[in-house]
Amino acid sequence: MRAMSKQELADRAGVGRGTMSKWIKPFQKQFDEWGISRKAKLLPPKAVKLLSDYYCIDVD
């Protein structure tokens, strides 16, 4: 797993950036605990893994 931009993750999921932002909202408290800013454009590997596992996004 590697760091990935929100846009790249959205592209891999086949959704727009707005949808990706909505998908992130339920996990924002966890992201805050991990120190990931709401405005961060680059998601660290653990955030990419969380989202890709939950939303079944192929990131390999």
Side-chain angles (χ1 to χ4, degrees):
M1 199 62 54
R2 65 178 179 84
M4 194 176 288
S5 71
K6 289 179 183 176
Q7 182 63 58
E8 184 180 1
L9 191 57
D11 290 345
R12 287 179 180 250
V15 300
R17 226 174 73 211
T19 298
M20 182 55 62
S21 293
K22 289 177 185 176
W23 285 6
I24 289 172
K25 278 187 180 186
F27 301 101
Q28 193 59 58
K29 184 176 179 179
Q30 181 68 49
F31 284 15
D32 290 344
E33 289 173 6
W34 288 342
I36 303 168
S37 168
R38 294 171 191 261
K39 294 183 180 183
K41 293 183 180 181
L42 189 66
L43 296 172
K46 60 185 170 185
V48 172
K49 178 163 178 34
L50 175 71
L51 293 168
S52 64
D53 286 351
Y54 189 83
Y55 292 110
C56 300
I57 303 168
D58 184 17
V59 294
D60 295 326

